[in-house]
């Protein structure tokens, strides 16, 4: 069975992506900080006949992220698709947002660590085996501000844009290797409770885009808009 590893798995996009791939024959490795929440997702997917396992790790701790991906490879025999989309749903120490003119090294560095360095760490944990096998998919998700930045998210968007640039360039490097990389920019509010007038979409509406990229492998970026 092929295996999908989701870094930043949660009950929204992560679960929807897991279902999208799991319903098509994939096993699923779920990686996030909270073991109990991951185990609840494993149980939920199991009730839908999708084999999943939990691997707790913090993307800000590069060693723990690497260890989690190694454990997932041991458990499932390899990772065929990596999806990276951590998104904090509760306050994270040191995380603030800043307008472009208020960006400092201190408020930018945590965003770089979270969005960019975590993604690079995850890729390095799975890419060598993919290159050796001549097959694999790497998908990296950010908000739409990585493409069309929003002033109130000056530091967040800058870090996401760095990731976007790297992913597109990585896909150029991997051309002809059988390994494919793509960036997904989600330019809508996911679920309910968004700002008035801002476009919204459900995780279930967005998740098929990830499968389409994996299957089509014909573009290095996709932007989801309502």
């Amino acid at each position: 069975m092929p295996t999908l590893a989701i870094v930043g798995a949660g009950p929204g996009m992560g679960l929807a992506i897991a279902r999208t791939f799991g319903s098509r024959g994939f096993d699923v490795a779920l990686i996030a900080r909270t073991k109990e929440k991951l185990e609840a997702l494993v149980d939920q997917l199991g009730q839908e006949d999708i084999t999943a396992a939990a691997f707790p790790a913090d993307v800000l701790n590069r060693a723990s992220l690497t260890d989690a991906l190694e454990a997932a490879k041991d458990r499932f025999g390899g990772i065929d698709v990596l999806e990276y989309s951590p998104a904090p749903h509760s306050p994270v120490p040191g995380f603030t947002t800043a307008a472009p003119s208020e960006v400092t090294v201190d408020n930018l560095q945590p965003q770089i660590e979270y969005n960019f360095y975590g993604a690079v760490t995850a890729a390095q944990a799975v890419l060598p085996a993919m290159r050796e096998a001549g097959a694999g998919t790497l998908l990296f998700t950010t908000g739409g501000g990585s493409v069309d930045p929003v002033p109130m998210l000056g530091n967040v968007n800058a870090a996401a844009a760095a990731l976007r640039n790297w992913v597109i360039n990585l896909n150029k490097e991997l051309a002809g290797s059988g390994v494919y990389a793509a960036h997904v920019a989600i330019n809508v509010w996911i679920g309910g409770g968004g700002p008035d007038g801002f476009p919204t979409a459900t995780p279930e509406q967005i998740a098929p885009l990830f499968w389409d990229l994996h299957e089509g492998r014909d573009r290095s970026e996709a932007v989801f808009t309502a």
Side-chain angles (χ1 to χ4, degrees):
M1 298 278 282
T3 299
L4 163 72
I6 301 175
V7 178
M13 281 306 311
L15 179 59
I17 295 169
R19 284 170 166 159
T20 297
F21 281 77
S23 64
R24 292 167 170 82
F26 275 71
D27 294 332
V28 183
L30 301 171
I31 299 171
R33 287 184 296 172
T34 307
K35 181 179 180 181
E36 293 75 17
K37 291 181 180 179
L38 289 178
E39 290 177 343
L41 295 178
V42 169
D43 290 342
Q44 190 169 351
L45 290 168
Q47 294 173 19
E48 300 171 22
D49 295 323
I50 297 171
T51 300
F55 303 91
D58 187 341
V59 298
L60 293 173
N61 182 329
R62 292 194 280 276
S64 78
L65 178 54
T66 298
D67 288 346
L69 286 163
E70 290 297 330
K73 286 191 284 186
D74 290 343
R75 165 67 173 79
F76 290 113
I79 293 173
D80 301 277
V81 179
L82 170 73
E83 195 278 321
Y84 184 90
S85 57
H89 297 288
S90 58
V92 177
F95 273 41
T96 59
T97 59
S101 63
E102 297 170 346
V103 170
T104 66
V105 170
D106 287 341
N107 63 40
L108 177 59
Q109 185 62 36
Q111 302 295 342
I112 293 286
E113 293 276 354
Y114 192 81
N115 286 286
F116 189 19
Y117 293 169
V120 171
T121 299
Q124 291 299 336
V126 301
L127 184 53
M130 288 181 175
R131 295 184 97 158
E132 183 175 352
T137 298
L138 304 164
L139 301 173
F140 302 88
T141 307
T142 69
S146 59
V147 179
D148 183 13
V150 180
M152 66 179 290
L153 301 174
N155 56 343
V156 178
N157 291 167
L163 173 58
R164 172 181 178 253
N165 179 283
W166 174 77
V167 173
I168 292 170
N169 206 19
L170 175 63
N171 190 55
K172 291 179 180 180
E173 179 193 351
L174 293 172
S177 70
V179 184
Y180 164 68
H183 169 251
V184 179
I186 300 177
N187 199 29
V188 297
W189 187 273
I190 302 172
D196 289 342
F198 199 83
T200 65
T202 66
E204 291 72 24
Q205 289 173 314
I206 301 169
L209 174 61
F210 293 82
W211 179 259
D212 292 344
L213 287 169
H214 166 64
E215 281 286 277
R217 304 169 70 88
D218 57 351
R219 48 184 167 154
S220 60
E221 179 170 48
V223 179
F224 186 93
T225 57

